[in-house]
């Protein structure tokens, strides 16, 4: 069902400062910048050289957003992990059928044209978990 | 320098409960179990189908260990991220030269025969970051 680790999502106070740091320390390259009003974030995706995994840096659009509340409670750090799947709707059905709680019952729009859904951390060792069907997979 | 995301490390109270959950929800397979006295953890590595990324589940050997203190402070959840590198000693030299703080100045033994080193979270958006030179890379 899960194909690989697609990305780690990192909550930060300043997107620009975090981008600068990840570029200068690791030589990573920004391949996408987006603002997602629904999720309440500005973000940058930095590509790893394997071409299929990313570091996602997330700055909240305000304090009353999921990432804003995360920062207030825990400070900067790992916010979630995303796994690539071939079919996010099918994966949601299968996972829901196994008794794991879902945040999203249906896929929604994610970064870089992906179709995504979040799973609740309570059943997954406290880890907010995202399923990611990348755009090129969805279009085939 | 970084090649790909090698693993996410997840701190949990009960390794067996977490393994059972990740197996049943996602169909992942345990490929390695180890106790690392130096790091104060019992762990299981569950392989993703790409053959090069893993979910690492970590149970502390006691409360006065890094993962034990993490659990007491924050509860279960994402503890660190590991990136694969071709040469961990060379990567440490390069990263230290760029002003990022290191936890380990020299590589040490990690999971599944890897050579690893940790970078300090303070310069990386609050993310404890591990460099992983997998065994098969080191031997070539």
């Amino acid at each position: 069902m899960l194909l690989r680790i697609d990305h780690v999502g990192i909550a930060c106070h300043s997107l620009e400062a975090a981008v600068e740091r990840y570029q200068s320390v690791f030589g990573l390259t920004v391949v996408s910048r987006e603002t997602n009003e629904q999720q309440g974030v500005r973000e940058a995706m930095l590509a790893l050289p394997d071409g299929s995994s990313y570091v996602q840096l997330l700055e909240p659009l305000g304090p009353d957003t999921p990432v804003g509340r995360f920062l207030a409670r825990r400070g900067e750090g790992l916010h979630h992990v995303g796994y690539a799947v071939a079919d996010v709707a099918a994966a949601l059905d299968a996972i829901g059928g196994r008794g794991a709680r879902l945040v999203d019952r249906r896929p929604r729009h994610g970064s870089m044209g992906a179709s995504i859904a979040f799973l609740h951390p309570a059943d997954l060792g406290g880890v907010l978990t995202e399923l990611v069907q990348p755009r090129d997979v969805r279009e085939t």
Side-chain angles (χ1 to χ4, degrees), chain A residues 39-122:
Chain A
Q39 293 182 33
V41 291
R42 287 202 311 136
E43 62 164 64
M45 298 290 275
L46 291 83
L48 278 290
D50 67 351
S52 60
S53 62
Y54 303 88
V55 173
Q56 181 184 45
L57 300 173
L58 300 161
E59 178 190 306
L61 294 178
D64 192 24
T65 60
V67 174
R69 288 188 289 271
F70 177 93
L71 283 173
R73 196 170 66 245
R74 307 183 62 161
E76 293 191 326
L78 285 167
H79 178 262
H80 69 270
V81 59
Y83 299 102
V85 296
D87 183 328
V88 67
L92 272 180
D93 282 349
I95 290 166
R98 293 170 191 174
R101 274 164 280 186
L102 311 178
V103 174
D104 298 310
R105 303 215 148 263
R106 296 181 185 181
R108 52 180 163 127
H109 296 296
S111 306
M112 299 193 295
S115 186
I116 65 150
F118 282 95
L119 311 179
H120 199 283

Side-chain angles (χ1 to χ4, degrees), chain A residues 28-52:
Chain A
L28 298 179
T29 303
V30 174
V31 292
S32 172
R33 286 174 182 270
E34 295 180 45
T35 296
N36 187 320
E37 300 279 351
Q38 185 192 27
Q39 293 182 33
V41 291
R42 287 202 311 136
E43 62 164 64
M45 298 290 275
L46 291 83
L48 278 290
D50 67 351
S52 60

